[in-house]
Amino acid sequence: MRIAIMGAGAVGGYFGARLATTHGAEVHFIARGRHLEAIRRDGLRIESEAAPLHLTDVRATDDPAEVGPVDLVLFAVKLWDTDRAAEACRPLVKPGTVVVTVQNGVTGMDTLCQILGREHVAGGVAHIGATIAAPGVIRHTGTLARLTYGELDGRPSPRLTAFHALAEAAGFEAVLSAAILRAQWEKFAFLAPFSGVTALTRQPAGVIRRVPESRALFLDAVAEVARLARARDVDLGTGIVARVEALLDGVPPAMTSSMLNDLMRGGRLELPWLSGAVVQLGSELGVPTPVHRVIAAALAPYADGPP
């Protein structure tokens, strides 16, 4: 199976590296800049207490046309790069190619469907703590490394069944889901509130859950996403807020969001696709989203970097 990793950053690079070790997988990494240069020169290194890895023979390029048509694309770019990267995927796509998006949020998949065609798109969810420690080096924290994927209609397909066989042999937890939209919205119900509240308060999970006011703010933000999901005909179940609260209580107290990390280092934020997307979808569907509206407004000056 020929596989392309569109966006070989922390998430795409980690899962792509694991897949590259399996028999029967030919993995190509689409990267750019110093990260690409380091991969070409020194290979791709995964720093992990659970399972370190160093790939020395890596197929890496910044030009998808050099790769040509593949069977599967793992789409793992930042949300602000979705349109550009989706267009760049065209040389990778042939009849039957599936593009599995593991981006944050719930709106990127719509963009992929518009540009590449719904028949080429499948959903995905990545659960992992990983960062780019240095060009060519990905640091995996903790032991969690789960990749969930599924067809948009929930039906089994030969293309994802074949990928699942490879993923199960790749050394991470692989889940072939018949309800991928639900899985994406369940993650979004935690991710958008957690990203927004940690960035708004500049505080990690331990502080958010310990202070009654910030805990209540977080749970109100979760409830807004849950109401949006219902309006989109995605059933998260009546206990979704309690489940997300339990998740907050179970993460390490020092855990922060990538959006807070981007904010503190003066980077661009995924705000328009997280709390911003909640506000936009709420406006379209007639669902009030006052908490996310405040988060989006308060962080708007930092969306493209320091004001």
Side-chain angles (χ1 to χ4, degrees):
M1 174 176 268
R2 300 190 83 228
I3 299 171
I5 309 299
M6 176 56 76
V11 174
Y14 178 88
F15 288 110
R18 297 294 181 201
L19 287 164
T21 66
T22 62
H23 177 71
E26 178 186 308
V27 180
H28 298 260
F29 295 85
I30 314 298
R32 57 187 178 184
R34 293 192 302 144
H35 192 50
L36 173 60
E37 293 173 5
I39 292 172
R40 283 173 164 170
R41 183 181 65 247
D42 304 318
L44 180 59
R45 187 182 300 274
I46 306 296
E47 294 181 348
S48 171
E49 293 184 6
L53 174 66
H54 185 199
L55 293 179
T56 55
D57 184 16
V58 183
R59 302 177 179 90
T61 181
D62 58 0
D63 183 5
E66 291 183 4
V67 178
V70 298
D71 300 300
L72 181 140
V73 179
L74 192 64
F75 194 83
V77 304
K78 284 286 192 178
L79 286 161
W80 55 73
D81 275 337
T82 302
D83 292 76
R84 178 200 61 79
E87 291 288 353
C89 279
R90 291 188 184 278
L92 303 172
V93 175
K94 63 180 180 180
T97 296
V98 59
V99 180
V100 179
T101 173
V102 293
Q103 295 174 288
N104 290 331
V106 293
T107 59
M109 193 161 52
D110 294 338
T111 302
L112 284 171
C113 288
Q114 291 168 6
I115 293 175
L116 298 175
R118 187 178 178 87
E119 71 276 13
H120 290 296
V121 180
V125 179
H127 289 95
I128 187 171
T131 59
I132 296 180
V137 181
I138 294 168
R139 181 172 297 137
H140 173 215
T141 56
T143 59
L144 178 62
R146 182 191 310 130
L147 191 64
T148 305
Y149 37 85
E151 297 286 359
L152 301 186
D153 61 8
R155 299 176 182 177
S157 67
R159 60 190 188 179
L160 285 189
T161 300
F163 175 71
H164 185 57
L166 291 175
E168 284 190 308
F172 55 80
E173 184 181 353
V175 181
L176 180 56
S177 173
I180 194 62
L181 294 180
R182 174 172 177 159
Q184 288 182 323
W185 274 89
E186 283 183 337
K187 180 179 179 179
F188 190 57
F190 173 81
L191 179 67
F194 186 70
S195 297
V197 175
T198 54
L200 185 66
T201 61
R202 274 68 163 178
Q203 296 297 327
V207 175
I208 299 303
R209 68 193 183 204
R210 186 179 72 244
V211 177
E213 291 84 357
S214 57
R215 186 185 190 94
L217 186 71
F218 172 80
L219 294 177
D220 286 346
V222 174
E224 290 180 3
V225 177
R227 288 192 289 270
L228 269 186
R230 283 196 295 272
R232 289 280 294 255
D233 294 323
V234 178
D235 181 14
L236 298 182
T238 57
I240 181 62
V241 175
R243 295 201 306 273
V244 173
E245 183 176 21
L247 181 58
L248 176 69
D249 287 335
V251 301
M255 179 176 168
T256 60
S257 66
S258 59
M259 193 159 78
L260 174 55
N261 296 338
D262 290 339
L263 177 67
M264 298 307 291
R265 67 176 178 82
R268 191 176 180 183
L269 308 183
E270 288 189 322
L271 179 68
W273 299 272
L274 297 176
S275 285
V278 173
V279 174
Q280 179 62 37
L281 289 172
S283 178
E284 294 172 1
L285 297 169
V287 177
T289 56
V291 174
H292 285 280
R293 185 174 296 278
V294 169
I295 291 171
L299 294 175
Y302 306 91
D304 294 319

